Amino acid sequence: MKVERKPLISIVIPTYNEEEYIGRCLRSILKQTIKNKIEVLVIDDDSTDDTVKIAKSFSNKLDVKVLHNGTHDAERGKKIGLAASSGEFFMYLDADMEYANDNWFEVSVKPLTENKSVIGTLASFGVSSEQNALTRCISYDIFQRDPIFIAFTPNIKNTIIEKRDGYYVCKFSIDKIPSQSLCLYRSKVLKKLFEENPLLMDNDVPVKLVKNGYEYFAFCPQVRVYHFLLKNLKELFRKRMRGVLKTYMAHLPKREYKWINLQKKGNILLLGLWI
């Protein structure tokens, strides 16, 4: 009897009209040194272009499955992917992202296999010569933060408690969680914590983990992700407004991550100076 191989890693990619990017995203996965241990779940939201066709064209090279969302909510798409995933480790990825290093997963899995207390390995962003000047500018910050969020969100350096071979061990607390949710997580824990939640809200994931006692994360600065985030200032404005109105404000009562903690002394004054 043939035993079906269980993937080590599940990657979930929510898509909607991403024909420009999905091919290069999947090619970066195809280049991974442990690609035979990866499953890819593309959660499509009724794309009207060739996104699905391009994704399916990789099925003879990668373990790629295309699932349907239909809600026009990427956070719901991530949860659909998590529920359908079968890997020991899980991460979601935007279609306009790609892994900068061929050994990204080989490096990022190491802390999770060596240290059972580590719940996830954080991803960091890098700068590519193929990015335009606007995207390169924002990508010089390892978590691709706008300057205002650099000022208001915790620095990963302040969470590091130990240096190991190839990675740092970080300890998060409720008031010290960096603004990064792109992470290789332990699937079993995420499935349990978010079982009843129809959404997988990006930055809320680390908050919920910390609240449930999962405080330790790994950080491997030598491997990066490229994010082709912006084409021009108009797109920057559109994406920021979508983030505020649809991702943040629409779910505000349910959000656990606070980008700007106005209860912290001095933050109201600092915010006023920024405005």
Side-chain angles (χ1 to χ4, degrees):
M1 174 186 270
K2 184 179 178 182
V3 178
E4 186 178 353
R5 178 185 63 83
K6 183 178 180 180
L8 178 69
I9 298 157
S10 299
I11 307 172
V12 167
I13 309 173
T15 58
Y16 174 69
N17 289 349
E18 297 286 357
E19 65 177 5
E20 182 178 354
Y21 297 107
I22 189 64
R24 62 188 302 161
C25 176
L26 294 174
R27 278 191 291 275
S28 75
I29 299 172
L30 187 60
K31 292 178 182 178
Q32 292 300 307
T33 52
I34 57 173
K35 65 182 179 183
N36 61 326
K37 298 181 180 180
I38 296 173
E39 72 169 355
V40 180
L41 302 169
V42 175
I43 317 299
D44 191 67
D45 215 346
D46 295 324
S47 291
T48 56
D49 63 2
D50 285 335
T51 298
V52 172
K53 181 180 177 181
I54 294 170
K56 287 182 176 180
S57 73
F58 281 80
S59 59
N60 63 334
K61 309 167 191 174
L62 278 173
D63 181 3
V64 178
K65 302 178 184 69
V66 178
L67 303 179
H68 182 244
N69 182 355
T71 65
H72 291 278
D73 189 331
E75 315 308 325
R76 193 175 295 271
K78 292 171 187 175
K79 176 58 192 297
I80 292 171
L82 175 63
S85 67
S86 54
E88 182 180 352
F89 306 114
F90 163 91
M91 80 177 296
Y92 53 78
L93 193 72
D94 290 350
D96 59 353
M97 295 178 181
E98 61 182 71
Y99 297 102
N101 312 87
D102 296 350
N103 63 340
W104 196 95
F105 283 103
E106 190 176 340
V107 171
S108 299
V109 163
K110 182 182 177 183
L112 295 164
T113 56
E114 286 187 352
N115 192 334
K116 298 302 180 183
S117 64
V118 169
I119 188 62
T121 301
L122 295 171
S124 59
F125 293 105
V127 180
S128 167
S129 60
E130 296 183 51
Q131 294 168 327
N132 62 31
L134 187 60
T135 299
R136 285 202 308 273
C137 179
I138 199 173
S139 298
Y140 282 111
D141 179 74
I142 59 170
F143 294 151
Q144 217 171 39
R145 295 171 297 174
D146 292 334
I148 189 169
F149 291 128
I150 293 175
F152 281 101
T153 56
N155 190 319
I156 186 71
K157 293 180 180 178
N158 296 330
T159 71
I160 294 172
I161 60 170
E162 183 181 355
K163 187 181 188 305
R164 295 207 176 181
D165 182 23
Y167 63 95
Y168 294 98
V169 177
C170 306
K171 185 177 182 180
F172 292 177
S173 57
I174 288 300
D175 61 345
K176 198 182 288 186
I177 300 177
S179 59
Q180 175 60 301
S181 61
L182 192 65
C183 184
L184 183 64
Y185 294 106
R186 296 187 187 276
S187 300
K188 187 176 181 180
V189 175
L190 249 61
K191 286 185 177 184
K192 181 180 179 180
L193 290 183
F194 288 88
E195 184 178 10
E196 303 299 325
N197 197 325
L199 307 173
L200 196 63
M201 294 296 295
D202 49 45
N203 292 86
D204 286 4
V205 176
V207 177
K208 191 155 187 172
L209 286 168
V210 170
K211 285 184 175 180
N212 283 272
Y214 301 98
E215 304 172 305
Y216 297 99
F217 290 73
F219 179 53
C220 306
Q222 71 272 35
V223 290
R224 300 294 179 98
V225 172
Y226 293 145
H227 189 188
F228 295 87
L229 180 64
L230 306 167
K231 293 179 181 177
N232 48 51
L233 286 172
K234 181 180 179 181
E235 186 174 18
L236 172 62
F237 178 78
R238 179 178 61 80
K239 286 190 173 184
R240 291 297 179 258
M241 289 305 295
R242 182 183 66 190
V244 170
L245 298 176
K246 187 171 182 178
T247 303
Y248 189 77
M249 294 301 294
H251 303 293
L252 186 58
K254 304 174 185 176
R255 292 304 303 257
E256 298 200 52
Y257 187 83
K258 309 301 180 188
W259 282 87
I260 300 177
N261 181 7
L262 295 180
Q263 305 300 317
K264 187 176 179 180
K265 186 177 180 180
N267 271 3
I268 293 179
L269 176 59
L270 184 58
L271 180 60
L273 289 172
W274 269 98
I275 292 172

